[in-house]
Amino acid sequence: MHQHNFLLRSLAFLILLGVHSAWDTQMASAQLIIAHRGASAEAPENTLAAFKLAWKKGADGIEGDFYLSRDGQIVTIHDATTKRTANKNLVVADSTLAQLRKLDFGSWKSKEYAGERIPTLSEVLAIVPPGKKIFIEIKCGPEIVPELKNVLSTSKLNPSQTIVIAFDKKVIVAVKDQIPQIKAYWLTGFKRSKLTGKWHPTIATLMKTLKAIGADGLDTQNNMAIVNADFVKTLRAAELEFHVWTIDKPSEARYFQRLGADSLTTNHAKEIRQSLVRP
Ligand code: G3P
Ligand code: CA
């Protein structure tokens, strides 16, 4: 009898353990946590140091910004110039990779990161672990797409791990045309008219655009005034994915979790994951 009770208790414990880890797995995959410019709250944005730190913080994916250099290399940087994040001001499109490599992209953030160099897209792809993702934000125009195709073809990553995001509609069209095996999400923000008080673009305009450019989904600015349950219902009815940036507050994370977002892009990957509600 004693042995029987022990067996029952052990069985109950194992079932509870299974349910618990199933919750963990489910939550880990319900909203992907994407580290914005890497772990950019602590490390210098868009550097290998920031991307490596993002993996340590348990991100499901990283987001980075990309331009074409003068000699046709894809480099990782948010702005069109190096002024804000390096020790010398160069225009990225007018500079060669060798010139950009000489700059220090770490010191502006902290001494600890002094000497951090600008990475190429190939170098960033090389540190994406199996099963993790990268959101490649194209900051220039569609002229980058042939080289993007070339770089992706030499990467060890499979197509489901690499996603292109862009505000420029022409970039989405070029990606779906030249690299159809990878997903592309259109990025949009919203502006409010001072005259009418209405937000633009409207969901109707958004839907027309997404369809016209062949996007796989929308990656929207965090705007709780316009992105609501009806907005998401319209996207889902058209079988489109729904991603959102930048989510740095727990209340925002929970709001977009309730709406069923596919991913949350954040500067604070660990804290935002912890703030999500368990079922
Ligand atoms: O993930 C999209 C988001 O990064 C777009 O804004 O200015 O941070 O590149 P930005
Ligand atoms: Ca970005």
Side-chain angles (χ1 to χ4, degrees):
M1 185 63 185
H2 180 73
Q3 199 184 10
H4 181 72
N5 280 346
F6 173 76
L7 279 172
L8 275 179
R9 274 203 304 271
S10 305
L11 192 65
F13 174 74
L14 285 172
I15 289 170
L16 274 176
L17 199 69
V19 169
H20 189 263
S21 60
W23 277 351
D24 276 351
T25 313
Q26 196 187 338
M27 286 318 293
S29 61
Q31 273 76 41
L32 294 178
I33 302 294
I34 309 295
H36 186 231
R37 311 181 194 176
S40 59
E42 286 126 287
E45 64 180 56
N46 285 316
T47 62
L48 291 181
F51 296 129
K52 285 177 184 165
L53 188 57
W55 302 131
K56 280 196 190 143
K57 289 184 171 286
D60 299 305
I62 50 173
E63 185 265 359
D65 303 293
F66 298 90
Y67 275 94
L68 210 47
S69 69
R70 195 179 84 200
D71 51 344
Q73 303 295 309
I74 302 182
V75 288
T76 319
I77 183 167
H78 181 274
D79 303 349
T81 74
T82 61
K83 189 176 175 195
R84 183 176 58 88
T85 53
N87 54 339
K88 186 178 174 186
N89 188 14
L90 294 180
V91 175
V92 178
D94 295 343
S95 311
T96 63
L97 177 61
Q99 287 170 324
L100 294 165
R101 287 281 210 206
K102 290 194 182 120
L103 310 191
D104 171 359
F105 282 85
S107 292
W108 71 276
K109 189 75 176 174
S110 93
K111 275 190 208 149
E112 188 194 336
Y113 293 106
E116 202 59 43
R117 302 290 154 195
I118 190 170
T120 62
L121 173 60
S122 301
E123 289 166 337
V124 181
L125 295 178
I127 60 157
V128 176
K132 302 277 182 172
K133 291 185 191 285
I134 174 168
F135 282 20
I136 301 166
E137 184 180 346
I138 300 301
K139 286 290 192 194
C140 57
E143 68 279 2
I144 199 172
V145 178
E147 180 56 14
L148 175 64
K149 181 177 179 178
N150 178 35
V151 170
L152 290 175
S153 72
T154 59
S155 154
K156 66 179 189 332
L157 301 179
N158 72 52
S160 67
Q161 292 177 273
T162 56
I163 292 114
V164 166
I165 58 174
F167 287 98
D168 187 339
K169 300 184 227 28
K170 292 194 209 88
V171 170
I172 303 294
V173 171
V175 167
K176 294 312 294 180
D177 180 43
Q178 296 173 47
I179 331 173
Q181 66 275 26
I182 68 169
K183 285 184 176 173
Y185 310 143
W186 184 51
L187 289 166
T188 194
F190 299 95
K191 282 199 182 118
R192 195 174 195 172
S193 156
K194 279 188 189 145
L195 216 61
T196 64
K198 288 192 177 150
W199 289 96
H200 294 275
T202 61
I203 181 72
T205 314
L206 275 178
M207 294 307 294
K208 269 189 206 152
T209 303
L210 290 163
K211 196 173 173 204
I213 65 179
D216 297 287
L218 179 71
D219 196 349
T220 172
Q221 186 183 28
N222 163 12
N223 183 325
M224 296 199 258
I226 186 160
V227 184
N228 56 25
D230 283 343
F231 181 105
V232 179
K233 207 171 153 188
T234 310
L235 277 178
R236 295 303 193 193
E239 296 183 358
L240 289 166
E241 293 184 34
F242 163 49
H243 302 264
V244 61
W245 52 273
T246 304
I247 305 297
D248 283 348
K249 290 188 188 147
S251 57
E252 295 167 344
R254 287 194 282 268
Y255 174 82
F256 286 102
Q257 180 183 29
R258 280 197 299 279
L259 292 188
D262 294 310
S263 79
L264 308 176
T265 296
T266 174
N267 295 307
H268 301 279
K270 194 172 170 190
E271 294 74 10
I272 288 301
R273 183 185 303 287
Q274 283 167 351
S275 72
L276 293 178
V277 175
R278 285 185 170 204

